[in-house]
Amino acid sequence: MAPDTGFPTSDAQDDFLRARRRRTLARLSAVLRREPDDVEMMLPFDEVVAALGRVSERDLGIRSIEVDTIVGTVDRGKEFDRAFRPTSSAVRQRFERLASAQRRGEALPPIDVFRVGEVHFVRDGHHRVAVARAQRRTEIDARVVEVVTRVPADRSTRLDDLPLKGHERLFRERVPLGADALTRVRLTDPERYGELAEGVEAWGFRLHQVEGTCLDRPQVARRWFDEEFVPVVALLRDADLVRRGETDADAYLRLSGDRYRLMRTQSWSDEAIERVRRGR
């Protein structure tokens, strides 16, 4: 909780000035660290959901949510940054009025938010969130509508991440695995999800040729995971062919091209295995 002198109006003014100072210091710190401009930008709801892929939504009613999970907005207003610090003095009057009411113990109505993954986007109540942040409150009441997306959002998501999240979303649409399987199929480089999806589809086509049966995407995805991905990754780990820092999917995708190339050109000699381990 922020300092309380017992004078709500004066304390509310201090709340605003303190929030503005924090905004200035945050901008200065970002410049000195040469961070990209979008680090402090509030996330736009429509762009995030479009990149992650909307599946469904449901009304969760009024919930108490963590203030620091609120990182975005439904509109593109620029009055506040990602941490809901005022970017100018234009919002001062309304901010201080709400801050003073909060300090006097008056009940403020719940804000309205969309929940996407771990984070929330404000539909109504931006100033109330800013006041809660300035007064160091950890929770706030909100009417929550949860939007389920193919790719979840987390607290570290930035505007520049959205194109990369889009690659992951397209993979999930083309290879609709279950949640447990998806936790294992994670690529370090999101731009390679398209390559992996093509490999899964090619595997499904070969399966169709061998068995003479038509499988839908979920069936192909499940069989690829159970009959191809899991056994191959187990063999890679057993042969110590997974590099430090690689995920299972990274190693699988790296080996896939080498596997078919080596099958066409040479046997799996010790020299060939060593080249795969070193990526040459």
Side-chain angles (χ1 to χ4, degrees):
M1 186 66 184
D4 188 348
T5 66
F7 298 94
T9 300
S10 177
D11 288 339
Q13 293 171 350
D14 288 341
D15 288 337
F16 181 82
L17 294 175
R18 187 167 49 251
R20 287 287 292 136
R21 284 195 298 271
R22 289 174 181 165
R23 160 66 179 174
T24 300
L25 291 173
R27 288 295 304 131
L28 178 60
S29 177
V31 170
L32 294 176
R33 291 197 301 265
R34 298 184 179 180
E35 293 180 342
D37 292 339
D38 76 324
V39 170
E40 295 297 330
M41 287 181 61
M42 199 177 295
L43 291 177
F45 172 77
D46 289 334
E47 292 182 32
V48 170
V49 171
L52 302 184
R54 183 193 291 261
V55 176
S56 63
E57 67 177 59
R58 56 175 180 162
D59 191 338
L60 300 181
I62 297 179
R63 302 286 182 91
S64 180
I65 65 174
E66 295 180 32
V67 174
D68 63 5
T69 65
I70 306 171
V71 299
T73 179
V74 173
D75 61 40
R76 290 302 300 267
K78 297 181 179 180
E79 293 89 354
F80 304 99
D81 66 8
R82 185 181 175 115
F84 281 82
R85 296 173 292 231
T87 57
S88 73
S89 296
V91 299
R92 179 168 186 167
Q93 184 176 2
R94 186 175 180 184
F95 180 104
E96 291 182 358
R97 184 173 68 251
L98 290 170
S100 179
Q102 184 76 68
R103 285 183 172 279
R104 289 194 301 270
E106 297 180 16
L108 299 180
I111 63 173
D112 289 276
V113 300
F114 283 118
R115 173 179 294 173
V116 181
E118 298 178 357
V119 297
H120 296 92
F121 297 79
V122 180
R123 303 167 66 185
D124 179 64
H126 296 76
H127 292 76
R128 278 166 277 168
V129 176
V131 168
R133 283 269 195 173
Q135 295 180 349
R136 301 176 185 173
R137 300 180 185 276
T138 59
E139 295 185 340
I140 190 171
D141 289 338
R143 295 186 183 89
V144 181
V145 174
E146 182 178 36
V147 177
V148 179
T149 54
R150 297 190 182 278
V151 179
D154 56 44
R155 302 187 192 193
S156 65
T157 302
R158 302 193 332 237
L159 197 59
D160 281 353
D161 294 331
L162 297 185
L164 300 180
K165 291 286 188 181
H167 291 296
E168 186 177 353
R169 171 182 62 81
L170 291 174
F171 172 79
R172 294 190 180 200
E173 291 176 352
R174 294 168 66 178
V175 187
L177 291 165
D180 292 340
L182 283 171
T183 61
R184 292 194 60 185
V185 185
R186 305 288 297 179
L187 289 172
T188 303
D189 181 0
E191 292 186 352
R192 302 197 69 191
Y193 274 112
E195 181 182 348
L196 181 58
E198 290 178 2
V200 176
E201 291 167 349
W203 186 90
F205 178 71
R206 291 191 295 272
L207 184 66
H208 165 69
Q209 289 181 312
V210 171
E211 297 185 350
T213 57
C214 291
L215 301 176
D216 59 21
R217 287 186 181 275
Q219 290 173 320
V220 170
R222 172 47 63 182
R223 290 194 59 177
W224 167 81
F225 181 79
D226 291 338
E227 300 173 24
E228 165 77 358
F229 182 80
V230 171
V232 168
V233 169
L235 289 172
L236 286 172
R237 291 200 172 277
D238 186 58
D240 195 27
L241 289 173
V242 180
R243 298 174 185 167
R244 180 177 298 178
E246 276 191 328
T247 66
D248 288 349
D250 289 335
Y252 172 86
L253 187 57
R254 173 173 56 81
L255 184 69
S256 294
D258 290 325
R259 176 173 56 176
Y260 294 116
R261 174 173 57 79
L262 289 167
M263 286 174 61
R264 293 195 304 269
T265 60
Q266 63 189 62
S267 62
W268 283 92
S269 62
D270 290 342
E271 292 79 10
I273 292 175
E274 185 62 23
R275 277 195 291 274
V276 170
R277 179 181 286 113
R278 296 178 179 179
R280 294 186 292 183

